[in-house]
Amino acid sequence: MKSLLLVNHPSSLVSGTTTRGALLVLLCLFSLLFSPSHAQNATTDPSEVTALNTIFAKWDAQAAYGLWNLSGEPCSGSAINGTDLEYYLNNPGIQCDCSYDNGATCHITKLRLYGLNKQGVIPDELAELKYLTFLKLDQNYFTGSLPASLGNLTSLQTLSVGVNSLSGTIPKELGNLTQLTLLGLGSNNFSGPLPSELGQLINLEQIYIDSAGVSGDIPDTFANLVKLRTVWASDNAFTGKIPDFIGTWTELVSLRFQGNAFEGPIPSSFSNLTSLTQLRISDIYNGSSTSIDFIKNLKNLTELSLPNALITGTVPSDIGEYKSLQTLNLGFNNLTGQIPSDLFTLTSLTNLFLGNNSLTGNLPSQKSDSLQVIDLSYNYLSGTFPSWVSSALSLNLVVNNFTFDNKNISILPGLKCVQRDFPCNRDAPRYANFAINCGGPQMKSSNGLLYEAENSSLTAASFNLTTTEKWGVSNAGTFADSNNPVYLKTTLTQVTSTSSPELFQTSRASPGSLRYYGLGLENGPYNVSLLFAETIYAFPSSKTWQSVGRRVFDIYIQGSRQFKDFDIAKEAGGIEKAITRTFNTTVSENHLEIHLFWGGKGTCCIPAQGDYGPLISAISVVPDFTPTVSGTPPDTGKKSNTALIVGICVSVGAVILIALLVLLYKRKKAEREDEEVLLGIDQRPNTFSYSELKTATEDFNPSNKLGEGGFGPVYKGKLSDGRVVAVKQLAVASHQGKNQFVAEIAIISAVQHRNLVKLYGCCIEGSRRLLAWKLHENNRSVELVDPSLTNFNKDEALRVMGISLLCTQASPSMRPSMSRVVAMLTGDIEMPNVISKPSYLTDWSFQDTTFEESQTSFASKSNDIPGKAPSTKYSSSSLSDIIGEGR
């Protein structure tokens, strides 16, 4: 095992052998001295430099550190060396074209400031960057209007300002940007119609205007946009009919029209869109119905989603020919007839939603293995179950007319109670109230009301019924575009405006249709209270893009819509504030249905994909009359069970006693093992108790934290005898980790050197392992320089050390080019932070990551030298790691 030495910093372990690293440093410095300079001769257009500095000053933004310069020469570094503008560290980033005036002039052609939550307005100075072809300002918090002056940037090919808080009308001057291929305006607060001038953007291929706030008809001039491939326009107040000319956009691949106010029908011209792979149209409430026949030529579809779109007719008999179809959603329509058997054997299909139609007949006898999500709820299907029906599937068959017998009643427990006639306790009611903690455990509120647990694993198509047959829950819908769909939301935030905040720590979420049922209820009037709190979005006062999301859904009670476009945050007056909405209803057939329905409105992807749709924390239903029923579940009397209770108590007590004895034995054994591992060390170190080091660091107070790495954090502390220490708290729990830890202590205890920090002792208590070092709080980095050198510039020495460290990075992409090295040595460009180990450590498969822990760093005083770029900060341990004893 290679020995590990701690050098001059409590949180940095380095190799005791530095020969290889020293050779790399010498080679790097040798190449610096004898490599030619490749400094550029071109300069950035002065007017663009002025405009760029003004823009960034208004946004309080800086150039991506170490990649390019905002002051001086912007067209440098990553702006001209081919670095990907979308590289995550290159943010904010620019790109330049330096081919103008025979290579003497650079113009800024691309600007990206993405996801940084910058505030302010989009300034008119952007129009001074006349050579811009790419402008991306998404996911910030820009307010005000979109300046009409952007229409002067006639070279623009990409303009994207989505997910901000822009308002006002969309300027008609954008119609001048005839080179545009992408226009992104979604998730803003614009108003008014789309300007007809946008129809002049004849090269447009992608337009994103979902949740943009626009309204009215889609202009007829959009018929000119025949190159469109992607159109996302959901959640806007578009009115009128869906334009027939969309059928001429024959290059269209993805079309989304959800949650608008369009009238039916869907134009038959859509049959010309043979390139379509994704079609989402939903929530058409008025106008004529649409036959599904328009999809007959759309055989390239992978997703067809037309819920609540006035679709009539039958499921196409040739549906088996859609060999690429993965998701089919025709729910909440007027489909009739039987389900084609070819649909269930389509090998590409994975998600099927046909709920809330008028389908009849039996379930298909065969099903492909790929089809795992099936919603057929609220139809008129009948018969028994084929062999493929299983509780392992994501399957929802509630409210149909299936037949149950001794063979199939246990396959989907409780399903019999939620068929069309709701037979359980029908005409023989047992209950007159119920309360549910949606998504959470059983809990009693501050007023003493007991909310039952509702924390089952609901899926995209599923239902669950309590064993008492008192209430149930049903879900249908999948979170589109989400790789990790979550139907249960949790929060540790203390929700306000309620005396029972614990009820709001969990919520049930749905991307489509979420229903709760009360069963076996005594007929009569009831008060239904629904408890909500928006816990997903950020506070509006934070002025971040995470705060601009909107959740909108409809509330139905007993099939009647009680609230259209319900917005939790809006109704509650803010985020993380409780709101209760109470509705009066009547139970006439011993069952109650509460339905929360997503109608395609609200943002879809803020702060993450899938953050939309109904969200509810709790439900309580109480009678508005004096009930006559007992409320006792079936088959549960009050018989005396004293003997059973005594037997259970004695058994439980014995188990608890045995468990306590086992725990005590294991603890003693662990303490002996911890003591034995230290006995094998020749120079046994001093040991501390965990409580001593906990007290020394003020309970590991974050304010005392010096750094953190893969093996745990390091804290500054003060022992009871006054010694100042650095306590390294290792998060190593494996047996192998313990051996490595003990070996480390043995080696360090045996080595003494003036450049090595003294180990005061250690702590091993079970899985807790800590080291206590003498803490050097002074900067010793310059002491690494050869002591025979008495007259040298400390700032230059530190700069050379830092550059040398860059040159020894393992990844070629992390090592600077010779031209950049020369520029860094001369101070023409800034040096980036070193975030990786030098290659001689990674090449040796050195496992500890504490090299990266140190946040204690020194700063060069070259900031005070006129004409010099600010020096990069490096930890003293980083330089020691490279130079070591080879200085």
Side-chain angles (χ1 to χ4, degrees):
M1 184 182 70
K2 296 180 179 64
S3 60
L4 304 177
L5 303 181
L6 187 70
V7 181
N8 286 332
H9 196 280
S11 63
S12 295
L13 294 175
V14 300
S15 172
T17 306
T18 57
T19 304
R20 188 177 181 187
L23 287 175
L24 287 172
V25 175
L26 291 175
L27 288 173
C28 181
L29 293 177
F30 182 85
S31 64
L32 293 181
L33 294 174
F34 295 96
S35 295
S37 172
H38 297 286
Q40 66 174 43
N41 296 318
T43 58
T44 311
D45 185 319
S47 65
E48 296 180 21
V49 175
T50 301
L52 188 65
N53 276 273
T54 301
I55 294 167
F56 273 48
K58 290 184 177 182
W59 290 343
D60 190 26
Q62 301 294 326
Y65 188 70
L67 294 181
W68 62 283
N69 286 318
L70 180 58
S71 58
E73 184 53 55
C75 291
S76 60
S78 62
I80 58 173
N81 67 6
T83 300
D84 186 358
L85 189 63
E86 299 286 346
Y87 175 47
Y88 76 101
L89 289 179
N90 193 17
N91 188 25
I94 63 170
Q95 281 189 359
C96 302
D97 184 346
C98 296
S99 64
Y100 294 88
D101 300 330
N102 295 321
T105 302
C106 297
H107 289 295
I108 301 171
T109 57
K110 295 183 179 182
L111 171 58
R112 172 178 174 264
L113 187 138
Y114 177 81
L116 297 181
N117 279 321
K118 293 301 179 182
Q119 301 176 22
V121 300
I122 297 179
D124 285 319
E125 283 82 358
L126 277 171
E128 298 299 320
L129 306 181
K130 299 178 181 179
Y131 292 81
L132 276 183
T133 63
F134 181 98
L135 179 59
K136 186 173 184 178
L137 305 175
D138 304 76
Q139 291 189 359
N140 287 286
Y141 196 80
F142 293 129
T143 54
S145 61
L146 194 63
S149 58
L150 292 181
N152 297 325
L153 300 177
T154 54
S155 295
L156 269 182
Q157 298 174 20
T158 294
L159 173 60
S160 189
V161 295
V163 196
N164 278 282
S165 192
L166 298 170
S167 57
T169 59
I170 296 174
K172 64 181 181 179
E173 288 78 7
L174 296 186
N176 299 330
L177 308 179
T178 56
Q179 300 302 310
L180 269 187
T181 60
L182 185 152
L183 177 62
L185 304 173
S187 298
N188 276 291
N189 298 317
F190 295 116
S191 58
L194 292 170
S196 61
E197 287 79 2
L198 295 184
Q200 301 169 19
L201 307 180
I202 57 174
N203 290 302
L204 201 61
E205 297 178 1
Q206 302 176 63
I207 183 169
Y208 302 94
I209 51 175
D210 43 313
S211 303
V214 292
S215 59
D217 294 345
I218 294 180
D220 292 339
T221 57
F222 274 44
N224 300 325
L225 308 182
V226 294
K227 292 185 179 181
L228 279 171
R229 294 174 56 83
T230 302
V231 177
W232 291 4
S234 299
D235 185 35
N236 288 295
F238 291 132
T239 55
K241 295 183 179 297
I242 298 176
D244 186 71
F245 61 70
I246 292 178
T248 65
W249 297 348
T250 55
E251 296 184 26
L252 204 60
V253 174
S254 176
L255 174 63
R256 299 183 183 181
F257 278 159
Q258 295 174 286
N260 298 306
F262 285 124
E263 298 177 5
I266 299 173
S268 59
S269 63
F270 274 37
S271 62
N272 299 325
L273 305 179
T274 56
S275 296
L276 269 180
T277 62
Q278 181 188 74
L279 177 60
R280 297 180 186 174
I281 301 176
S282 72
D283 308 292
I284 299 176
Y285 293 96
N286 300 306
S288 304
S289 59
T290 300
S291 169
I292 195 67
D293 291 343
F294 77 89
I295 71 167
K296 61 184 177 181
N297 298 325
L298 311 185
K299 298 299 174 62
N300 291 315
L301 283 170
T302 60
E303 179 186 351
L304 176 61
S305 185
L306 303 173
N308 201 28
L310 299 182
I311 304 295
T312 60
T314 61
V315 178
S317 58
D318 64 346
I319 195 69
E321 297 178 13
Y322 294 75
K323 301 298 184 181
S324 299
L325 191 62
Q326 299 174 14
T327 297
L328 176 62
N329 186 349
L330 299 177
F332 292 89
N333 283 298
N334 299 308
L335 295 175
T336 58
Q338 299 189 9
I339 301 172
S341 58
D342 288 350
L343 177 60
F344 268 61
T345 57
L346 192 60
T347 56
S348 61
L349 193 64
T350 59
N351 299 283
L352 176 62
F353 298 92
L354 295 177
N356 290 266
N357 280 286
S358 298
L359 299 173
T360 57
N362 297 334
L363 293 176
S365 60
Q366 302 293 323
K367 182 190 75 67
S368 70
D369 292 337
S370 61
L371 183 55
Q372 293 294 309
V373 176
I374 304 171
D375 172 39
L376 298 173
S377 60
Y378 286 82
N379 279 286
Y380 294 88
L381 300 172
S382 58
T384 58
F385 299 150
S387 59
W388 57 262
V389 172
S390 165
S391 59
L393 289 172
S394 183
L395 178 64
N396 195 337
L397 300 176
V398 304
V399 192
N400 277 283
N401 291 320
F402 289 111
T403 301
F404 295 87
D405 54 32
N406 292 334
K407 295 181 180 179
N408 70 356
I409 195 168
S410 61
I411 296 177
L412 299 173
L415 182 61
K416 180 181 178 181
C417 290
V418 281
Q419 292 299 284
R420 282 206 166 265
D421 57 351
F422 290 89
C424 296
N425 298 318
R426 183 74 176 263
D427 299 325
R430 291 181 174 273
Y431 308 109
N433 62 73
F434 63 93
I436 306 170
N437 184 17
C438 303
Q442 180 172 295
M443 189 175 295
K444 185 172 289 187
S445 66
S446 60
N447 62 3
L449 182 61
L450 182 65
Y451 287 81
E452 296 184 55
E454 190 274 281
N455 49 10
S456 59
S457 299
L458 290 186
T459 62
S462 61
F463 77 97
N464 185 57
L465 191 73
T466 62
T467 56
T468 59
E469 299 177 352
K470 186 176 185 179
W471 58 267
V473 58
S474 166
N475 181 66
T478 182
F479 287 105
D481 306 313
S482 175
N483 295 324
N484 184 30
V486 178
Y487 297 85
L488 191 157
K489 303 289 187 178
T490 59
T491 181
L492 297 178
T493 302
Q494 187 86 351
V495 172
T496 61
S497 302
T498 176
S499 58
S500 300
E502 62 277 3
L503 276 175
F504 299 87
Q505 291 178 343
T506 60
S507 299
R508 179 62 73 183
S510 172
S513 171
L514 179 64
R515 287 179 165 101
Y516 286 90
Y517 308 99
L519 304 177
L521 292 173
E522 183 176 4
N523 291 335
Y526 283 82
N527 295 324
V528 178
S529 295
L530 308 181
L531 285 66
F532 306 95
E534 182 56 73
T535 59
I536 304 301
Y537 307 126
F539 282 95
S541 60
S542 68
K543 295 185 177 180
T544 61
W545 68 263
Q546 292 91 339
S547 69
V548 302
R550 291 182 298 108
R551 182 187 307 279
V552 178
F553 56 92
D554 297 338
I555 301 174
Y556 292 80
I557 307 290
Q558 295 294 65
S560 174
R561 189 169 63 192
Q562 302 293 317
F563 206 120
K564 179 178 172 57
D565 298 340
F566 183 72
D567 183 329
I568 299 174
K570 181 179 179 181
E571 295 298 319
I575 303 298
E576 297 175 0
K577 294 182 67 175
I579 178 73
T580 298
R581 282 288 177 260
T582 300
F583 305 94
N584 301 321
T585 192
T586 299
V587 172
S588 59
E589 296 181 340
N590 304 119
H591 69 272
L592 170 68
E593 181 190 272
I594 301 165
H595 186 197
L596 308 180
F597 179 72
W598 181 62
K601 295 184 179 181
T603 54
C604 68
C605 323
I606 301 172
Q609 293 283 354
D611 284 334
Y612 65 90
L615 185 76
I616 186 167
S617 298
I619 296 171
S620 72
V621 175
V622 295
D624 197 15
F625 63 95
T626 302
T628 62
V629 295
S630 65
T632 305
D635 300 323
T636 58
K638 295 186 178 180
K639 298 179 181 180
S640 175
N641 294 312
T642 305
L644 178 61
I645 294 173
V646 171
I648 292 175
C649 291
V650 171
S651 300
V652 170
V655 170
I656 293 174
L657 179 60
I658 293 172
L660 290 175
L661 292 174
V662 170
L663 289 174
L664 183 60
Y665 169 77
K666 287 184 176 181
R667 177 176 295 180
K668 293 296 183 181
K669 181 181 179 182
E671 291 175 356
R672 289 196 301 270
E673 289 176 350
D674 293 340
E675 185 70 17
E676 288 170 2
V677 296
L678 293 175
L679 292 176
I681 302 178
D682 292 335
Q683 298 186 22
R684 178 174 173 175
N686 180 41
T687 58
F688 297 96
S689 68
Y690 178 76
S691 60
E692 285 181 276
L693 297 182
K694 182 179 180 182
T695 301
T697 58
E698 298 177 319
D699 198 8
F700 301 103
N701 194 311
S703 64
N704 292 330
K705 194 173 183 180
L706 299 175
E708 183 167 2
F711 273 54
V714 179
Y715 296 86
K716 179 181 177 181
K718 188 174 183 180
L719 299 174
S720 58
D721 59 4
R723 288 180 293 174
V724 179
V725 294
V727 179
K728 182 176 181 182
Q729 189 180 43
L730 282 84
V732 182
S734 67
H735 181 67
Q736 181 182 6
K738 179 183 290 186
N739 290 340
Q740 183 179 3
F741 178 60
V742 173
E744 177 184 341
I745 296 173
I747 294 170
I748 298 173
S749 299
V751 178
Q752 298 294 330
H753 191 277
R754 66 186 181 88
N755 278 338
L756 303 183
V757 174
K758 182 178 180 181
L759 177 66
Y760 282 150
C762 65
C763 168
I764 302 181
E765 288 187 9
S767 61
R768 294 167 173 164
R769 295 162 208 163
L770 302 93
L771 293 173
W773 305 89
K774 181 179 180 181
L775 177 61
H776 285 288
E777 298 187 90
N778 58 316
N779 193 327
R780 301 185 59 187
S781 302
V782 180
E783 296 180 19
L784 298 171
V785 179
D786 190 335
S788 64
L789 294 177
T790 58
N791 185 19
F792 64 93
N793 188 306
K794 294 182 180 180
D795 299 318
E796 292 182 358
L798 295 175
R799 178 175 288 274
V800 171
M801 294 177 192
I803 296 172
S804 300
L805 181 59
L806 286 175
C807 292
T808 60
Q809 297 303 300
S811 171
S813 63
M814 296 296 294
R815 297 196 293 267
S817 64
M818 290 302 103
S819 60
R820 287 185 60 80
V821 169
V822 172
M824 285 188 287
L825 283 172
T826 59
D828 291 336
I829 65 173
E830 302 167 353
M831 291 189 297
N833 283 318
V834 178
I835 59 174
S836 299
K837 306 170 188 173
S839 61
Y840 69 85
L841 288 182
T842 53
D843 290 346
W844 287 350
S845 298
F846 187 75
Q847 296 300 312
D848 198 350
T849 58
T850 50
F851 174 84
E852 300 169 8
E853 292 180 357
S854 173
Q855 299 298 318
T856 304
S857 56
F858 62 89
S860 169
K861 295 181 180 178
S862 61
N863 292 350
D864 302 327
I865 303 175
K868 293 289 184 179
S871 292
T872 305
K873 296 183 178 181
Y874 295 96
S875 67
S876 58
S877 57
S878 300
L879 302 182
S880 303
D881 290 347
I882 284 189
I883 298 176
E885 293 298 325
R887 61 182 182 176

